[in-house]
Amino acid sequence: LGGDPSDYLNADGTGIKDLPLYKTRAKNQALSLGLVEVDFSKIPNINMTRQVYAPYAAPSVVEGLTALGQALRSPINVSGLYRTPAYNSAISSTHKTGPHTKGKAVDVSGASKQIVLQLLSTTDPSVIEQKFGIVQALDEGDHLHLRFK
């Protein structure tokens, strides 16, 4: 699995060809960026789905997720965190430089997407940024993309 985006996806365009190798490379790249491994067992009301292949994020994102989980008091399903630049190129329009490649983005899926959208739509954006560190929210249909400062 090199730098070519097609190296990462199965022939049908879904899933990763060699998941153990991807996880090893993602971990090495994430740690070299100063990201931390997210221990979901220590964050109240935040759950990792099986789609999270690389559970790494910037420390400020972990703080924001913790505050979000405490505020909502309802389970939030995280389906995406860090992505290697090559993998991000294969699945995202932000290519190799998107916020997932810097550990500054989180995808929320399932019923919890609506819970987070409700909070965001009823709270002043400056409060959302100050309290949770969220600077952008994009409803992408099957998930909610949150970008953190």
Side-chain angles (χ1 to χ4, degrees), residues 101-115:
T101 67
K102 296 169 181 64
K104 296 282 191 169
V106 172
D107 293 333
V108 175
S109 61
S112 57
K113 173 185 144 181
Q114 294 305 320
I115 295 167

Side-chain angles (χ1 to χ4, degrees), residues 56-80:
Y56 306 96
S60 60
V61 172
V62 177
E63 292 170 14
L65 283 175
T66 301
L68 187 63
Q70 291 170 341
L72 291 175
R73 295 187 212 146
S74 182
I76 303 300
N77 295 318
V78 171
S79 58

Side-chain angles (χ1 to χ4, degrees), residues 7-99:
D7 290 344
Y8 284 89
L9 299 180
N10 291 322
D12 64 0
T14 62
I16 295 177
K17 288 179 183 176
D18 187 342
L19 193 53
L21 180 58
Y22 177 78
K23 286 182 175 184
T24 298
R25 289 194 174 164
K27 178 179 182 176
N28 292 338
Q29 290 178 19
L31 296 178
S32 74
L33 293 171
L35 305 182
V36 297
E37 186 166 2
V38 180
D39 183 351
F40 285 91
S41 69
K42 294 184 178 179
I43 304 176
N45 298 317
I46 304 291
N47 304 313
M48 178 177 73
T49 68
R50 59 188 161 96
Q51 291 99 340
V52 177
Y53 303 129
Y56 306 96
S60 60
V61 172
V62 177
E63 292 170 14
L65 283 175
T66 301
L68 187 63
Q70 291 170 341
L72 291 175
R73 295 187 212 146
S74 182
I76 303 300
N77 295 318
V78 171
S79 58
L81 283 169
Y82 175 74
R83 296 181 195 141
T84 65
Y87 180 56
N88 201 63
S89 283
I91 66 168
S92 173
S93 63
T94 61
H95 305 290
K96 292 186 176 188
T97 60

Side-chain angles (χ1 to χ4, degrees), residues 125-147:
S126 64
V127 173
I128 295 293
E129 182 175 349
Q130 180 183 20
K131 190 169 184 176
F132 308 114
I134 298 170
V135 295
Q136 181 185 44
L138 298 172
D139 185 346
E140 302 210 17
D142 65 337
H143 70 277
L144 178 64
H145 171 86
L146 301 175
R147 185 168 60 88

